[in-house]
Amino acid sequence: MAAATKEPSSASAGKRKRQENGDKCKKRRKSGGDEGVDLKAQLKQLEAEILESRKHYNNIATLLELAQKYDEDRPTAIAASETLCRVFVRLLAMGCLVERREASEKDATVTKWLRERLADFREVLLRMFNNEKLALPALLLAMSLLKVEAQHLDGRDQPAFPRYFFTQVIYFIIQSPVEQLREEFTEKFIDEFDDIRFYTFAAISEFLRDPSADLNETVRAIIFNLLLNIDDVPSSNKDLDTFYIEPPTTKKRHPVRSLSQHKSQAQDAWLALMQLGLSKDQRKKILSVMSNSIAPWFTNPELLMDFLTDCYNAGGSISLLALSGVFYLIQERNLDYPEFYTKLYSLLDADMLHSKHRSRFLRLLDTFLGSSHLPAVMVASFIKKLARLALNAPPSAIVAIVPWFYNLFKKHPLTTFMMHRVPRTEEEKQKIEEGWVEDVFLAWERDPMETRAIESCLWEVVQLQGHWHPNVATIAKIISEQFTKQAYNVEDFLDHSYGSLFEAEMGKEIKKPPVVEFMIPKRVFTKVTEEEEKQGLKDSLVVGLWDFGTA
């Protein structure tokens, strides 16, 4: 365990030296406990002796023993770890851990021993990641050590990123029970340094493909959240200019300086995670940020086609969320999705206008139906279907749908026939006079080109003009008025809710108080007396119902 500074003449000599060193350590600890020697002074002395002479390198073993007792004495363990970090930083900078071919056997033995103790120190720091009190200080020490190792461990002219040690750091961060550790690492290192982000993607991909790794549900959820938080996608190679460890300068561009290499590593990590399977909640989270935070990382977004189309075909809220990702592939990669508008039309069901993803869906729907080259027959089907659903929709949904109708009528003038359908035959006129007219719209038809919506009329909007909510009734009347406005900004209406509508009503200034005719009753739950009965007073309806008509 001790480093030999000169060749031992015999086994007994080596044994005697180890015993002397052990007695020295015990004496220090004993005097520190009995006489109350300050811990900082003791650690400072050990550090000074190590840096003073090679014969005191055994003090490193003493410091390692103190650092390993983090479960028993946390302050001593972290103080010893900080001292060890300073010691190894100095030794690395002095080149004491560089393996040289021309070194003597004695020097090679010392160097090998120091590198082994450095490995022991790394392991101590990594195991501290599991301790809630020590995880954050241990992370900072490990990253400081990593930086110095990159510059001095191999004795090269240019720094080399220590991939093995960093991969171990990522492994322990993933498996640590301390959530704050991952937040700290993401905030201070991944978000700040391009090379740390690059090698984090690579380490996660390697971890997910390691057959010996324990990829349980908890670990997969941790990796999922870690990847999800890496959402700042660089736009060009020029954006890759902040490095924790400056990559070497070579004739060929280093992978860390290449945006395509960054995206390739991110793509591999995401694909490795998706291949393991995702829960429903995780798929929803991915789909909600797919087009902005995940798909831009992919050098080949086509690899997402199967995942997105499967989600799009799943139905329900999953389909609504997958719509933006499918649109991204259609727009950016010319994805050919067969019968896209048929599938889009099928998403218009009774639950859609009540969904919390309603605003997202209506924004995309506005984009999909915005082209003036779409068949008027198909656009009419979407208008008619949404008008029918609006009869049972919340007020916050209706106030967004009606202005959208207005915009579609302006873009597709052929659909305006739906607003005012004049009866053409005597039979139609007779049915209208009798108060019974059959709507030709086929609500059950899945193909928007076959619903006959263009032959129908928007009687649903007329019903909405008598809605109980005054704002809904007022906005529904814009369809019956002259179309003098060029278009409505739908964004002004999409984020309304019951709360916002209520606040708007409460904020209105009442110019004229409403007239209320109301007489306060003398009795509600009791019967009138004989005298009151003679005066013409009668029992209230509540009393009659309470007695079930027996009174």
Side-chain angles (χ1 to χ4, degrees), residues 135-201:
L136 299 186
L139 173 65
L140 297 178
L141 292 174
M143 295 304 292
S144 299
L145 191 63
L146 180 88
K147 189 169 189 175
V148 179
E149 282 189 26
Q151 297 169 343
H152 303 292
L153 183 60
D154 294 331
R156 300 178 181 177
D157 295 335
Q158 295 187 359
F161 198 94
R163 293 283 299 270
Y164 177 77
F165 181 29
F166 184 76
T167 301
Q168 293 299 311
V169 169
I170 297 299
Y171 281 20
F172 276 84
I173 287 176
I174 290 173
Q175 299 177 82
S176 171
V178 185
E179 181 62 30
Q180 190 179 358
L181 175 67
R182 287 179 284 275
E183 295 175 359
E184 185 84 359
F185 181 70
T186 301
E187 180 182 351
K188 290 190 175 181
F189 295 98
I190 295 179
D191 292 345
E192 293 292 329
F193 303 104
D194 297 317
D195 54 340
I196 296 296
R197 181 181 58 232
F198 176 89
Y199 290 112
T200 298
F201 280 131

Side-chain angles (χ1 to χ4, degrees), residues 37 85 100 172 182 186 194 225 233 235 237 301 304 312 338 345 361 419 454 464 470 485 490 499 502:
V37 177
C85 186
R100 295 182 172 85
F172 276 84
R182 287 179 284 275
T186 301
D194 297 317
N225 292 326
V233 185
S235 57
N237 290 333
L304 292 169
Y312 190 45
Y345 183 73
F361 177 75
M419 290 190 293
I454 196 70
L464 294 176
K485 191 177 180 67
V490 182
F502 179 77

Side-chain angles (χ1 to χ4, degrees), residues 16-240:
R16 184 168 60 255
K17 178 138 185 101
R18 287 194 297 270
Q19 184 177 358
E20 290 174 357
N21 290 331
D23 294 341
K24 185 177 180 181
C25 296
K26 290 179 182 178
K27 184 176 181 181
R28 282 184 183 140
R29 290 195 295 270
K30 184 176 180 181
S31 62
D34 294 344
E35 301 178 6
V37 177
D38 183 55
L39 175 64
K40 291 184 178 180
Q42 180 185 359
L43 296 177
K44 189 174 182 180
Q45 181 183 355
L46 291 172
E47 179 183 356
E49 290 177 353
I50 294 171
L51 300 176
E52 179 185 348
S53 172
R54 294 171 56 178
K55 66 181 181 181
H56 297 296
Y57 278 177
N58 285 318
N59 290 354
I60 295 176
T62 305
L63 291 171
L64 279 171
E65 289 182 10
L66 296 174
Q68 289 171 349
K69 296 181 179 180
Y70 49 83
D71 289 331
E72 305 169 10
D73 190 352
R74 291 174 185 168
T76 301
I78 198 63
S81 298
E82 292 172 351
T83 303
L84 277 169
C85 186
R86 290 194 300 271
V87 166
F88 279 115
V89 165
R90 291 287 299 275
L91 292 177
L92 284 165
M94 293 163 58
C96 298
L97 280 80
V98 177
E99 295 177 331
R100 295 182 172 85
R101 294 181 179 180
E102 67 277 7
S104 64
E105 183 179 354
K106 183 195 309 181
D107 291 339
T109 302
V110 174
T111 300
K112 180 181 178 182
W113 185 87
L114 287 175
R115 293 175 76 96
E116 289 174 353
R117 301 294 74 76
L118 176 62
D120 292 340
F121 179 47
R122 290 188 198 135
E123 185 176 355
V124 170
L125 291 177
L126 294 176
R127 294 192 180 280
M128 285 183 179
F129 286 5
N130 296 323
N131 189 300
E132 186 175 359
K133 301 293 185 182
L134 301 178
L136 299 186
L139 173 65
L140 297 178
L141 292 174
M143 295 304 292
S144 299
L145 191 63
L146 180 88
K147 189 169 189 175
V148 179
E149 282 189 26
Q151 297 169 343
H152 303 292
L153 183 60
D154 294 331
R156 300 178 181 177
D157 295 335
Q158 295 187 359
F161 198 94
R163 293 283 299 270
Y164 177 77
F165 181 29
F166 184 76
T167 301
Q168 293 299 311
V169 169
I170 297 299
Y171 281 20
F172 276 84
I173 287 176
I174 290 173
Q175 299 177 82
S176 171
V178 185
E179 181 62 30
Q180 190 179 358
L181 175 67
R182 287 179 284 275
E183 295 175 359
E184 185 84 359
F185 181 70
T186 301
E187 180 182 351
K188 290 190 175 181
F189 295 98
I190 295 179
D191 292 345
E192 293 292 329
F193 303 104
D194 297 317
D195 54 340
I196 296 296
R197 181 181 58 232
F198 176 89
Y199 290 112
T200 298
F201 280 131
I204 289 176
S205 178
E206 182 180 337
F207 179 77
L208 290 171
R209 290 185 168 89
D210 185 357
S212 63
D214 182 15
L215 299 175
N216 55 55
E217 191 67 29
T218 302
V219 170
R220 279 187 283 177
I222 288 173
I223 295 175
F224 172 79
N225 292 326
L226 189 61
L227 288 175
L228 207 59
N229 289 329
I230 309 176
D231 54 0
D232 187 12
V233 185
S235 57
S236 66
N237 290 333
K238 294 180 180 179
D239 294 336
L240 304 175

